[in-house]
């Protein structure tokens, strides 16, 4: 509590920390403000834009499925998403050849799958033209693009966690949003 109270001195405008143990809230501390002008206090009802913070939440959900035996870290992604079965890799000389390694769930989690984070790739743009496109459609479009490198050999911030979200959907039979609820 003392530490949380001190972070405002270091430029963090506000904090809301809740700790749960076995489904019960055992600690909560709120301090500071939640608006640009620093006038509105943090409350239990404060909403936050978390953007990429959904990534650790999705990874936690995926690990829950690993614990339940629904997903294996060594499982090929193609076991869940067939479109990832025969991936290709674009090599530094510009040639495109079949991938030697399969993408595994652990590669999605560690962003070592060879995927990119290029939101302007043609297959993705085409899929997103449909306002009703599903996660299945969007993720399948990513599988049509050549990988940036062999799976498991390099790190690149990518759509790996997005694809992992689709793996979670297939494994649980629920949409990501339903599972999160």
């Amino acid at each position: 509590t003392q530490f949380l109270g001190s972070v405002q001195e270091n430029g963090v405008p506000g904090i809301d920390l809740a700790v749960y143990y076995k489904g019960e809230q055992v600690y909560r501390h709120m301090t500071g403000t939640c608006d640009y002008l620093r006038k509105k206090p943090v409350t239990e009802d404060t909403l936050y834009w978390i953007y990429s913070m959904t990534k650790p939440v999705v990874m936690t959900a995926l690990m829950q499925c690993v614990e339940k035996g629904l997903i294996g870290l060594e499982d090929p992604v193609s076991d869940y998403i067939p479109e990832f079965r025969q991936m290709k890799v674009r090599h530094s000389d510009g040639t495109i050849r079949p991938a030697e390694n399969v993408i595994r769930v652990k590669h999605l989690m560690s962003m070592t799958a060879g995927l990119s984070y290029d939101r302007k790739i043609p297959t993705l743009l085409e899929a997103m033209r449909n306002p009703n496109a599903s996660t299945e459609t969007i993720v399948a479009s990513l599988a049509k693009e050549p990988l940036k490198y062999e799976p498991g050999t390099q790190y690149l911030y990518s759509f790996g966690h997005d694809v992992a979200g689709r793996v979670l959907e297939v494994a649980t039979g629920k949409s990501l949003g339903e599972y999160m609820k």
Side-chain angles (χ1 to χ4, degrees):
T1 301
Q2 183 179 353
F3 170 75
L4 294 174
S6 73
V7 297
Q8 285 181 278
E9 298 164 13
N10 295 315
V12 176
I15 289 180
D16 181 358
L17 173 67
V19 177
Y20 286 79
Y21 180 72
K22 295 185 178 181
E24 298 292 323
Q25 183 175 308
V26 295
Y27 177 84
R28 182 127 192 208
H29 182 75
M30 293 173 281
T31 186
T33 57
C34 62
D35 64 327
Y36 180 75
L37 298 174
R38 295 189 176 192
K39 293 185 179 188
K40 185 177 174 185
V42 172
T43 70
E44 290 182 3
D45 297 323
T46 299
L47 297 178
Y48 299 91
W49 289 100
I50 60 174
Y51 298 101
S52 286
M53 286 306 299
T54 56
K55 288 174 175 41
V57 174
V58 171
M59 294 303 97
T60 300
L62 195 82
M63 288 305 294
Q64 288 176 334
C65 290
V66 169
E67 288 177 339
K68 293 174 185 174
L70 298 174
I71 298 172
L73 295 176
E74 295 291 335
D75 290 350
V77 171
S78 60
D79 286 358
Y80 304 92
I81 310 169
E83 291 85 353
F84 282 87
R85 188 159 282 121
Q86 296 180 341
M87 297 302 294
K88 293 184 175 17
V89 177
R90 183 181 310 276
H91 292 270
S92 57
D93 64 2
T95 61
I96 298 172
R97 297 189 293 267
E100 294 176 18
N101 303 334
V102 299
I103 301 174
R104 299 189 182 281
V105 171
K106 68 180 182 180
H107 297 144
L108 298 175
M109 296 180 77
S110 61
M111 295 205 185
T112 60
L115 297 167
S116 78
Y117 199 60
D118 183 353
R119 291 170 286 175
K120 295 182 181 179
I121 55 176
T123 56
L124 179 61
L125 291 173
E126 177 66 29
M128 293 181 69
R129 282 192 190 106
N130 177 354
N132 299 316
S134 65
T135 305
E136 179 180 9
T137 303
I138 300 291
V139 168
S141 76
L142 298 173
K144 295 175 183 175
E145 292 294 322
L147 299 172
K148 296 290 185 185
Y149 53 82
E150 280 291 331
T153 64
Q154 297 179 43
Y155 167 87
L156 179 64
Y157 189 85
S158 69
F159 287 116
H161 289 177
D162 302 82
V163 176
R166 177 63 187 146
V167 167
L168 192 143
E169 289 182 336
V170 173
T172 64
K174 298 179 181 178
S175 73
L176 188 57
E178 290 170 341
Y179 186 84
M180 294 304 195
K181 285 181 185 173

